[in-house]
Amino acid sequence: MSIQTVPTRPFAGQRPGTSGLRKKVAVFQQPHYLENFVQAVFDTLPGHEGQTLVLGGDGRFHNREAVCTILRMAAANGFAKVLVGRGGLLSTPAVSAVIRRRAAFGGLILSASHNPGGPEGDFGIKYNAANGGPAPERLTEAIYARTQQLEAYRIESDGEDIDFDSLGTRRLGGMIVEVIDPVADYAELMQQLFDFDAMRAWFAADHRMRFDAMSAVGGPYARAIFEDLLGAPAGTVVNGEPLEDFGGHHPDPNPAHATELIAALSGADAPDFGAASDGDADRNMILGRDFVLTPSDSLAVLAEHATRVPGYRAGLAGIARSMPTSRAADKVAAALGITCHETPTGWKFFGNLLDAGQATLCGEESYGTGSNHVREKDGLWAVLFWLNLLASSGRSVEELVRAHWARFGRHYYSRHDWEGIPTARADALMAELRASLPSLAGRDCGDGLRIASADDFAYTDPVDGSVSNGQGVRLLFADGSRIVFRLSGTGTEGATLRVYLERYEPDPAHHDQPVQQALGALIRIADELAGIRRHSGMGAASVVT
Ligand code: VG1
Ligand code: CO
């Protein structure tokens, strides 16, 4: 055993964002860059010696090198054992499931999620704690502070790199490396939650599904669950082979990046059900035949029908949604007599509510849905939940959603992303908007829209009392409409402004308008009040979902 202490110097900017540290691959390839961050994580975790760490990633470019490095560093930092997914692969929700099931100390996830991969793309790393959830803000801030003081890191320098492409147990210095099947624990958990017999019968009755894994880590999970366990015909899962560059695509399941799937789901011959997951398989997109569902509506419909699904038969303790997510779920919570919590963007804010039993289902507008079964959003879980509902209700995606709108009203919803704005300009836009807040309440914006209140969202965690300020500017209109502005915390180039637009329509006679048209007045007001075109110099949003 030969542990080396390597002198190093801090890198600026190793502060985790909405979900871990994400940078261009070239940044992570700099000598010591990954090592510094990993050492800072270990230094910030007292009591990790002698413990078990879970390790895996979404298979993107640089995943394998990072696995080799982290294994050697875990050995040198006194971990007793690392559980690593075969091939270095583990989806984000699977890491969460493995940490919880095997009572591990924590886990490291190698992913930049929905960001593009490959040598020119992005890489990322994130630490999850013993509850299986993303490190809370106080921990990510402590990790960042440590990166800024780091003088050395420890690494095991002896011997060959460990083979992590075949199952089994190996030794690295004083540490055990156990290579596990990335799918097994996760697939078992899904079978505890959902009615696999009903879903098998749905496929046996010649219903068809198309699952697009976007050449990312969801492929092996989807094949094992839909094709092997549920008997869906081979070919149900497309783009099921994880590729280092995701085939050159954005592994981001939304109407802008999953156009192929949307096309495949249109027309009389289309499958009954379509779905996709992102780079690390924690996001989901749900489609019916000729029908695109918003994630906010998805959360609301799942909550409405949760007791049809075995894992949620006892009902929901509460619902939680990120602030920009539409308020469709709030209506369901009110009908069920439970609380709908409103948290800042990012799954780390759901952890305490889930641990304390205050929420059962959680969701974000960004194609993220999940529950208390793990502490991450979970793409395959959401797809199985929908499939279970289709199978047990005998209804289609569109029928379920239209019935939901008829009962609760429709929340027209869209997100406009303005990408690649020079950081200084985006900061100026937000600063101006924040400065204008006191004068906005009461303003009549035309088209019957009057601002009732305007603020910068702050969140006090009801469990530990921690406060998170500056989580997004909200304009709340008297008729219940909303506009929210915030800057992305996952991008790696310039700044991305996200503008979230929502309008509530109770009358079923008006539930069939084109979404952008229904939101037209709000889109106009957003640009007028924030000066988006003026600040960004751009003529239109880059991505509309
Ligand atoms: C985005 C989404 C947010 C999500 C985060 C991580 O963050 O808006 O809802 O939790 O990505 O998702 P931001 O700060 O860029 O808006 V994933 O699937 O990329 O880990
Ligand atoms: Co993701």
Side-chain angles (χ1 to χ4, degrees), residues 260-393:
E260 222 178 80
L261 181 66
I262 292 183
L265 263 285
S266 73
D269 291 343
D272 305 273
F273 182 43
S277 56
D278 74 331
D280 58 337
D282 59 353
R283 296 188 180 205
N284 72 90
M285 183 170 70
I286 302 293
L287 302 169
R289 185 181 298 139
D290 287 315
F291 192 80
V292 178
L293 176 64
T294 71
S296 297
D297 278 348
S298 176
L299 173 65
V301 175
L302 297 189
E304 180 187 0
H305 296 292
T307 52
R308 286 178 189 264
V309 169
Y312 307 93
R313 210 137 263 164
L316 307 177
I319 304 173
R321 61 161 175 83
S322 66
M323 181 272 283
T325 302
S326 99
R327 287 170 300 181
D330 302 40
K331 297 260 182 228
V332 178
L336 294 174
I338 57 177
T339 304
C340 187
H341 302 269
E342 186 175 44
T343 60
T345 294
W347 212 262
K348 57 180 175 250
F349 293 102
F350 294 134
N352 278 348
L353 294 170
L354 292 167
D355 286 348
Q358 294 191 29
T360 307
L361 297 187
C362 303
E364 293 194 282
E365 55 65 42
S366 53
Y367 297 81
T369 332
S371 88
N372 58 354
H373 70 290
V374 289
R375 293 293 180 274
E376 288 280 3
K377 55 186 185 271
D378 189 343
L380 274 283
W381 169 91
V383 177
L384 283 167
F385 204 133
W386 268 98
L387 187 58
N388 197 149
L389 288 187
L390 300 184
S392 62
S393 70

Side-chain angles (χ1 to χ4, degrees), residues 18 22 113-114 278 283 364 366 377 486 488-490 498:
T18 311
R22 291 188 195 177
S113 192
H114 59 286
D278 74 331
R283 296 188 180 205
E364 293 194 282
S366 53
K377 55 186 185 271
R486 58 178 284 281
S488 158
T490 58
R498 303 205 193 285

Side-chain angles (χ1 to χ4, degrees), residues 53-143:
L53 182 76
V54 178
L55 175 62
D58 64 13
R60 69 179 58 223
F61 187 80
H62 205 56
N63 193 90
R64 297 184 64 87
E65 291 80 347
V67 167
C68 291
T69 303
I70 294 169
L71 286 175
R72 289 179 176 279
M73 290 188 64
N77 278 275
F79 279 94
K81 191 177 194 178
V82 173
L83 301 168
V84 59
R86 186 183 46 221
L89 297 181
L90 276 172
S91 76
T92 290
V95 170
S96 191
V98 172
I99 293 174
R100 295 169 67 79
R101 193 148 185 261
R102 307 201 183 205
F105 183 79
L108 284 169
I109 302 176
L110 306 172
S111 172
S113 192
H114 59 286
N115 299 21
E120 313 295 321
D122 292 349
F123 190 75
I125 179 168
K126 180 170 91 154
Y127 177 71
N128 280 30
N131 72 345
E137 251 186 355
R138 81 188 120 69
L139 184 52
T140 55
E141 282 303 302
I143 292 168

Side-chain angles (χ1 to χ4, degrees), residues 138-205:
R138 81 188 120 69
L139 184 52
T140 55
E141 282 303 302
I143 292 168
Y144 171 63
R146 181 69 194 137
T147 64
Q148 297 309 294
Q149 297 154 357
L150 208 70
E151 289 174 352
Y153 61 84
R154 285 186 297 287
I155 190 159
E156 169 64 57
S157 59
D158 252 9
E160 308 242 305
D161 281 341
I162 289 278
D163 158 27
F164 52 86
D165 288 317
S166 57
L167 301 182
T169 297
R170 271 133 233 169
R171 183 165 278 283
L172 176 64
M175 189 182 81
I176 302 289
V177 176
E178 186 183 338
V179 181
I180 61 170
D181 177 337
V183 178
D185 287 45
Y186 180 82
E188 254 187 71
L189 179 57
M190 293 303 114
Q191 290 173 81
Q192 288 163 20
L193 296 172
F194 298 110
D195 187 343
F196 272 56
D197 288 336
M199 295 189 283
R200 253 179 235 120
W202 189 86
F203 282 116

